[in-house]
Short mmCIF file of all heavy atoms in Angstrom, two decimals:
data_model
loop_
_atom_site.label_atom_id
_atom_site.label_comp_id
_atom_site.label_asym_id
_atom_site.label_seq_id
_atom_site.Cartn_x
_atom_site.Cartn_y
_atom_site.Cartn_z
N PRO A 19 95.56 85.25 96.51
CA PRO A 19 96.53 85.92 95.76
C PRO A 19 96.16 87.53 95.54
O PRO A 19 96.98 88.33 95.34
CB PRO A 19 96.57 85.33 94.39
CG PRO A 19 95.30 84.50 94.31
CD PRO A 19 95.10 84.14 95.70
N ARG A 20 94.76 87.74 95.81
CA ARG A 20 94.37 89.15 95.63
C ARG A 20 94.95 89.92 96.64
O ARG A 20 95.24 91.17 96.55
CB ARG A 20 92.86 89.22 95.81
CG ARG A 20 92.40 90.61 95.60
CD ARG A 20 92.54 91.12 94.24
NE ARG A 20 91.42 91.02 93.40
CZ ARG A 20 91.38 90.77 92.15
NH1 ARG A 20 92.66 90.83 91.48
NH2 ARG A 20 90.36 90.57 91.47
N VAL A 21 95.42 89.46 97.77
CA VAL A 21 96.17 90.16 98.89
C VAL A 21 97.42 90.82 98.32
O VAL A 21 97.82 91.99 98.57
CB VAL A 21 96.55 89.31 100.12
CG1 VAL A 21 97.40 90.03 101.15
CG2 VAL A 21 95.12 88.86 100.73
N ASP A 22 98.22 89.96 97.55
CA ASP A 22 99.51 90.44 96.89
C ASP A 22 99.26 91.54 96.05
O ASP A 22 99.87 92.69 96.09
CB ASP A 22 100.14 89.12 96.26
CG ASP A 22 101.40 89.60 95.61
OD1 ASP A 22 102.23 90.44 96.29
OD2 ASP A 22 101.92 88.98 94.59
N SER A 23 98.23 91.34 95.05
CA SER A 23 98.07 92.37 94.03
C SER A 23 97.54 93.68 94.68
O SER A 23 97.79 94.83 94.27
CB SER A 23 97.14 91.87 92.91
OG SER A 23 95.82 91.32 93.55
N ALA A 24 96.68 93.53 95.83
CA ALA A 24 96.06 94.70 96.33
C ALA A 24 97.29 95.52 97.13
O ALA A 24 97.27 96.68 97.15
CB ALA A 24 94.98 94.36 97.33
N LEU A 25 98.13 94.81 97.77
CA LEU A 25 99.20 95.47 98.41
C LEU A 25 100.22 96.05 97.45
O LEU A 25 100.75 97.24 97.66
CB LEU A 25 100.04 94.39 99.24
CG LEU A 25 99.43 94.00 100.56
CD1 LEU A 25 100.12 92.76 101.13
CD2 LEU A 25 99.37 95.14 101.55
N LEU A 26 100.47 95.42 96.23
CA LEU A 26 101.23 96.04 95.19
C LEU A 26 100.77 97.27 94.74
O LEU A 26 101.36 98.37 94.51
CB LEU A 26 101.65 95.05 94.16
CG LEU A 26 102.51 93.85 94.47
CD1 LEU A 26 102.46 92.87 93.44
CD2 LEU A 26 103.91 94.30 94.76
N ILE A 27 99.50 97.30 94.34
CA ILE A 27 98.75 98.43 93.75
C ILE A 27 98.82 99.56 94.83
O ILE A 27 99.08 100.74 94.51
CB ILE A 27 97.46 97.95 93.30
CG1 ILE A 27 97.53 97.26 92.07
CG2 ILE A 27 96.58 99.24 93.15
CD1 ILE A 27 96.11 96.58 91.57
N GLY A 28 98.47 99.29 96.01
CA GLY A 28 98.35 100.27 97.17
C GLY A 28 99.79 100.84 97.33
O GLY A 28 99.95 102.11 97.38
N ALA A 29 100.80 100.11 97.47
CA ALA A 29 102.09 100.59 97.76
C ALA A 29 102.58 101.45 96.59
O ALA A 29 103.25 102.51 96.74
CB ALA A 29 103.08 99.37 97.97
N ALA A 30 102.33 101.00 95.24
CA ALA A 30 102.82 101.72 94.11
C ALA A 30 102.23 103.18 94.08
O ALA A 30 102.87 104.11 93.78
CB ALA A 30 102.42 101.05 92.83
N GLN A 31 100.95 103.14 94.52
CA GLN A 31 100.28 104.58 94.57
C GLN A 31 100.97 105.42 95.59
O GLN A 31 101.21 106.60 95.48
CB GLN A 31 98.81 104.35 94.81
CG GLN A 31 98.15 103.77 93.63
CD GLN A 31 96.65 103.44 93.94
OE1 GLN A 31 95.80 104.12 93.66
NE2 GLN A 31 96.45 102.30 94.55
N ILE A 32 101.12 104.77 96.78
CA ILE A 32 101.70 105.61 97.93
C ILE A 32 103.08 106.09 97.62
O ILE A 32 103.37 107.27 97.95
CB ILE A 32 101.71 104.67 99.21
CG1 ILE A 32 100.25 104.50 99.68
CG2 ILE A 32 102.59 105.36 100.23
CD1 ILE A 32 100.18 103.36 100.68
N LEU A 33 103.87 105.21 96.93
CA LEU A 33 105.29 105.69 96.86
C LEU A 33 105.67 106.41 95.54
O LEU A 33 106.64 107.11 95.46
CB LEU A 33 106.14 104.40 96.85
CG LEU A 33 106.19 103.64 98.28
CD1 LEU A 33 106.91 102.30 98.01
CD2 LEU A 33 106.90 104.53 99.44
N PHE A 34 104.92 106.02 94.43
CA PHE A 34 105.31 106.48 93.13
C PHE A 34 104.24 107.34 92.33
O PHE A 34 104.71 107.86 91.30
CB PHE A 34 105.73 105.32 92.35
CG PHE A 34 106.80 104.53 92.90
CD1 PHE A 34 106.67 103.19 93.24
CD2 PHE A 34 108.11 105.10 93.14
CE1 PHE A 34 107.64 102.48 93.82
CE2 PHE A 34 109.15 104.30 93.65
CZ PHE A 34 109.02 103.00 94.02
N LEU A 35 103.13 107.28 92.83
CA LEU A 35 102.06 107.95 91.93
C LEU A 35 101.24 109.03 92.71
O LEU A 35 101.34 108.95 94.06
CB LEU A 35 100.97 106.92 91.47
CG LEU A 35 101.39 105.82 90.61
CD1 LEU A 35 100.28 104.85 90.19
CD2 LEU A 35 102.20 106.38 89.34
N ASP A 36 100.69 110.03 91.97
CA ASP A 36 100.07 111.19 92.66
C ASP A 36 98.81 110.69 93.12
O ASP A 36 97.66 111.28 92.46
CB ASP A 36 100.09 112.27 91.66
CG ASP A 36 99.59 113.55 92.34
OD1 ASP A 36 99.65 113.67 93.40
OD2 ASP A 36 99.20 114.41 91.52
N VAL A 37 98.54 109.83 94.04
CA VAL A 37 97.19 109.49 94.63
C VAL A 37 97.24 109.56 96.12
O VAL A 37 98.31 109.37 96.68
CB VAL A 37 96.98 107.96 94.25
CG1 VAL A 37 95.68 107.55 94.97
CG2 VAL A 37 96.99 107.67 92.72
N PRO A 38 96.33 110.36 96.62
CA PRO A 38 96.21 110.47 98.02
C PRO A 38 96.44 109.19 98.76
O PRO A 38 95.85 108.13 98.43
CB PRO A 38 94.97 111.18 98.37
CG PRO A 38 94.48 111.69 97.08
CD PRO A 38 95.12 110.96 96.00
N ASP A 39 97.24 109.14 99.83
CA ASP A 39 97.48 108.01 100.64
C ASP A 39 96.21 107.20 101.14
O ASP A 39 96.07 106.03 100.94
CB ASP A 39 98.38 108.31 101.80
CG ASP A 39 99.89 108.66 101.38
OD1 ASP A 39 100.13 108.49 100.09
OD2 ASP A 39 100.72 109.01 102.17
N HIS A 40 95.37 108.10 101.67
CA HIS A 40 94.12 107.55 102.13
C HIS A 40 93.28 106.83 101.17
O HIS A 40 92.72 105.75 101.36
CB HIS A 40 93.23 108.61 102.82
CG HIS A 40 92.67 109.73 101.88
ND1 HIS A 40 91.40 109.44 101.34
CD2 HIS A 40 93.07 110.89 101.56
CE1 HIS A 40 91.18 110.49 100.57
NE2 HIS A 40 92.16 111.35 100.62
N ALA A 41 93.34 107.40 99.69
CA ALA A 41 92.50 106.73 98.77
C ALA A 41 93.17 105.48 98.32
O ALA A 41 92.52 104.48 98.10
CB ALA A 41 92.39 107.71 97.63
N ALA A 42 94.55 105.53 98.31
CA ALA A 42 95.27 104.34 98.00
C ALA A 42 95.03 103.05 98.98
O ALA A 42 94.90 102.00 98.64
CB ALA A 42 96.79 104.55 97.92
N VAL A 43 95.09 103.54 100.29
CA VAL A 43 94.82 102.45 101.34
C VAL A 43 93.36 101.97 101.25
O VAL A 43 93.11 100.73 101.26
CB VAL A 43 95.11 103.03 102.76
CG1 VAL A 43 94.74 102.00 103.78
CG2 VAL A 43 96.59 103.55 102.84
N ASP A 44 92.53 102.82 101.19
CA ASP A 44 90.94 102.46 101.19
C ASP A 44 90.65 101.65 100.06
O ASP A 44 89.86 100.56 100.18
CB ASP A 44 90.06 103.82 101.19
CG ASP A 44 88.74 103.43 101.10
OD1 ASP A 44 88.19 102.81 102.21
OD2 ASP A 44 87.94 103.79 100.12
N LEU A 45 91.14 101.96 98.86
CA LEU A 45 90.68 101.20 97.62
C LEU A 45 91.43 99.73 97.59
O LEU A 45 90.75 98.76 97.12
CB LEU A 45 91.10 101.93 96.41
CG LEU A 45 90.25 103.02 96.11
CD1 LEU A 45 90.69 104.03 95.01
CD2 LEU A 45 88.78 102.61 95.62
N SER A 46 92.56 99.67 98.20
CA SER A 46 93.19 98.32 98.40
C SER A 46 92.45 97.49 99.25
O SER A 46 92.25 96.27 99.11
CB SER A 46 94.60 98.41 98.71
OG SER A 46 95.37 98.91 97.47
N VAL A 47 91.92 98.12 100.40
CA VAL A 47 91.26 97.28 101.36
C VAL A 47 89.84 96.81 100.74
O VAL A 47 89.49 95.71 100.85
CB VAL A 47 90.92 98.19 102.55
CG1 VAL A 47 90.01 97.56 103.63
CG2 VAL A 47 92.22 98.42 103.36
N ARG A 48 89.25 97.56 100.01
CA ARG A 48 88.02 97.37 99.31
C ARG A 48 88.27 96.29 98.35
O ARG A 48 87.36 95.41 98.05
CB ARG A 48 87.38 98.59 98.70
CG ARG A 48 86.88 99.60 99.70
CD ARG A 48 86.18 100.81 98.81
NE ARG A 48 85.77 101.76 99.81
CZ ARG A 48 84.63 101.82 100.29
NH1 ARG A 48 83.66 100.93 99.86
NH2 ARG A 48 84.26 102.76 101.10
N LEU A 49 89.49 96.23 97.74
CA LEU A 49 89.79 95.18 96.73
C LEU A 49 89.76 93.70 97.40
O LEU A 49 89.15 92.86 96.88
CB LEU A 49 91.18 95.49 96.11
CG LEU A 49 91.29 96.03 94.74
CD1 LEU A 49 92.69 96.15 94.38
CD2 LEU A 49 90.55 95.37 93.68
N VAL A 50 90.34 93.64 98.53
CA VAL A 50 90.36 92.38 99.24
C VAL A 50 89.12 92.11 100.02
O VAL A 50 88.68 90.83 100.00
CB VAL A 50 91.62 92.35 100.30
CG1 VAL A 50 92.93 92.53 99.59
CG2 VAL A 50 91.47 93.40 101.34
N GLN A 51 88.31 93.11 100.24
CA GLN A 51 87.02 92.76 100.88
C GLN A 51 86.06 92.17 99.75
O GLN A 51 85.24 91.45 100.19
CB GLN A 51 86.48 94.04 101.57
CG GLN A 51 87.14 94.48 102.75
CD GLN A 51 86.62 95.85 103.33
OE1 GLN A 51 86.00 96.65 102.36
NE2 GLN A 51 86.66 96.22 104.42
N ALA A 52 86.26 92.59 98.53
CA ALA A 52 85.35 92.08 97.55
C ALA A 52 85.75 90.65 97.02
O ALA A 52 85.06 90.22 96.14
CB ALA A 52 85.42 93.08 96.29
N ASP A 53 86.91 90.11 97.61
CA ASP A 53 87.42 88.89 97.08
C ASP A 53 87.21 87.82 98.21
O ASP A 53 87.86 87.97 99.44
CB ASP A 53 88.93 89.04 96.66
CG ASP A 53 89.44 87.68 96.15
OD1 ASP A 53 89.26 87.30 94.92
OD2 ASP A 53 90.10 86.92 96.87
N ARG A 54 86.44 86.80 98.21
CA ARG A 54 86.00 85.94 99.27
C ARG A 54 87.25 85.30 99.78
O ARG A 54 87.44 85.46 101.18
CB ARG A 54 85.14 84.95 98.83
CG ARG A 54 84.69 83.95 99.95
CD ARG A 54 83.53 83.00 99.52
NE ARG A 54 82.30 83.83 99.23
CZ ARG A 54 81.23 83.17 98.64
NH1 ARG A 54 81.19 81.89 98.42
NH2 ARG A 54 80.19 84.03 98.35
N PRO A 55 88.29 84.75 99.18
CA PRO A 55 89.33 84.27 99.92
C PRO A 55 90.27 85.23 100.53
O PRO A 55 90.93 84.89 101.55
CB PRO A 55 90.32 83.49 98.83
CG PRO A 55 89.22 83.30 97.57
CD PRO A 55 88.25 84.47 97.75
#
C-alpha cells in the first residue's frame, strides 16, 4: 500500500504544490525504498 500513498503524495506535489518536481519524485521513490513490501 505504500506505493499508492507515495504516488499520491508525489503527484499532489507535482500538480498542486510549490515543490520542485525532482524533489517530489525523489522523495516518493525514497518512501517506497524504505518500505520492504
Side-chain angles (χ1 to χ4, degrees):
R20 183 62 97 208
V21 173
D22 183 31
S23 52
L25 284 171
L26 289 171
I27 288 170
Q31 292 171 95
I32 290 167
L33 295 172
F34 302 116
L35 297 178
D36 187 20
V37 175
D39 290 349
H40 67 87
V43 175
D44 178 64
L45 286 164
S46 283
V47 170
R48 290 176 183 269
L49 261 182
V50 295
Q51 287 175 337
D53 181 84
R54 183 171 296 174

